[in-house]
Amino acid sequence: MKTQTPTFPLFSVVLTLTVLLTAAMGFADTEVRGFIAQDTKWTADKSPYLATGSLIVNQGVTLTIAPGVTVKFNPNTALQVDGTLAARGTQEMRITSTASEDKVPGGWGNIHFTDKSTPSKLDDAGNYIKGSVLEYSIIEYATGMGGTGAVRVNVSNLLVDHCTISNAAGNGVSVYGK
């Protein structure tokens, strides 16, 4: 009696490997760090974004974060906004800022709007027009220690709308004025 060894056509093997590699590449983090010196948009198709170092949005520059984006921060990293941060998620597609590693309070720094950041502008009905905004966002596991807040606002106006700020090691939001 002759035993047959199953064979797989080469095409099937190549197709399977191509599908697996494409799927794996689609889930790779987009690494970000340093100065954001020109208007930039982070999109869901390149999410998640991994902050491997702290980020600074320069004055006069806008960082737009699209609905559905996740930003993971390594320990001891933060986002400083000297320009404009327009993070406008939707009820169905929120924007998430979280720790990249251990999901514990204080897993990363915070989002800090300095006195140079672009203040929010609203119309007479209270609707957002322009400037910095956090809308339909989740901010979790930030430091917020020493009263600085997971979201820190220094002498600026910031629209925070439909956001969840949780599991911070300290305050959720801190606002400092003159």
Side-chain angles (χ1 to χ4, degrees):
M1 174 174 189
K2 187 173 180 180
T3 311
Q4 285 190 328
T5 305
T7 59
F8 297 96
L10 182 57
F11 175 74
S12 292
V13 173
V14 171
L15 180 62
T16 302
L17 287 174
T18 302
V19 169
L20 290 174
L21 288 173
T22 303
M25 289 171 51
F27 294 108
D29 294 341
T30 301
E31 291 188 11
V32 292
R33 69 179 300 139
F35 292 94
I36 299 174
Q38 61 185 9
D39 290 351
T40 302
K41 184 172 185 176
W42 292 351
T43 57
D45 63 322
K46 294 188 178 168
S47 181
Y49 289 81
L50 174 63
T52 58
S54 288
L55 297 154
I56 299 174
V57 180
N58 286 353
Q59 197 168 6
V61 173
T62 299
L63 171 60
T64 302
I65 303 178
V69 167
T70 296
V71 184
K72 300 186 297 185
F73 289 86
N74 278 350
N76 302 311
T77 62
L79 172 58
Q80 178 177 311
V81 182
D82 292 335
T84 303
L85 174 62
R88 300 187 75 201
T90 66
Q91 187 171 358
E92 297 78 24
M93 295 180 67
R94 295 180 182 266
I95 295 168
T96 302
S97 299
T98 190
S100 66
E101 296 177 9
D102 296 331
K103 303 293 186 185
V104 296
W108 62 284
N110 64 2
I111 301 174
H112 177 197
F113 295 86
T114 70
D115 59 351
K116 299 173 192 168
S117 66
T118 308
S120 300
K121 300 274 190 222
L122 307 177
D123 65 16
D124 291 339
N127 298 308
Y128 172 80
I129 298 172
K130 65 180 181 176
S132 293
V133 58
L134 294 173
E135 191 170 36
Y136 288 102
S137 294
I138 298 167
I139 300 160
E140 58 187 13
Y141 304 111
T143 301
M145 294 177 67
T148 63
V151 176
R152 178 180 177 167
V153 184
N154 283 32
V155 193
S156 188
N157 297 323
L158 173 66
L159 174 61
V160 178
D161 185 31
H162 289 91
C163 292
T164 301
I165 301 170
S166 65
N167 297 305
N171 295 332
V173 178
S174 294
V175 180
Y176 299 87
K178 288 184 179 185

